[in-house]
Amino acid sequence: MTQPVSPPRDGTDKVPPAGGTPARRAVLFRADVRTLSLLGVLAVLVLIGGITKPDEFLDTRNLQLVLTQASVIGVVTVGMTFVIVSGGIDLS
């Protein structure tokens, strides 16, 4: 049978608010704003390309070419991520 764990007696027995400390929530919100702003820029670029050259830009051949070129960069990125995480290279 397990016994309940009592909270520490050093004044930190308060339950932290949902999402962590206010500073932590601010960092998470800033990261979300960055991500959403990048997605917004991408959407605007696709919209501009679709409006100016709809027959060429939104063609399936062009979209396939863009995805093919991006996949090569994605594979290299995943490989480098594994090298960095495993400690095989130091960026500093």
Side-chain angles (χ1 to χ4, degrees):
M1 180 186 272
T2 61
Q3 296 182 0
V5 178
S6 61
R9 298 289 176 206
D10 58 357
T12 61
D13 56 346
K14 295 181 181 177
V15 176
T21 63
R24 178 75 176 149
R25 283 189 302 235
V27 169
L28 291 176
F29 178 73
R30 189 173 354 141
D32 289 341
V33 170
R34 286 182 187 170
T35 304
L36 291 176
S37 63
L38 289 175
L39 288 176
V41 168
L42 178 63
V44 168
L45 289 175
V46 169
L47 185 67
I48 290 172
I51 290 172
T52 57
K53 300 272 188 173
D55 294 337
E56 297 171 16
F57 185 74
L58 297 177
D59 186 35
T60 55
R61 249 188 253 155
N62 184 45
L63 294 176
Q64 185 179 11
L65 178 66
V66 168
L67 290 174
T68 301
Q69 291 175 348
S71 67
V72 172
I73 295 172
V75 168
V76 171
T77 302
V78 169
M80 285 305 297
T81 300
F82 285 129
V83 169
I84 292 170
V85 167
S86 67
I89 190 172
D90 185 12
L91 292 178
S92 62

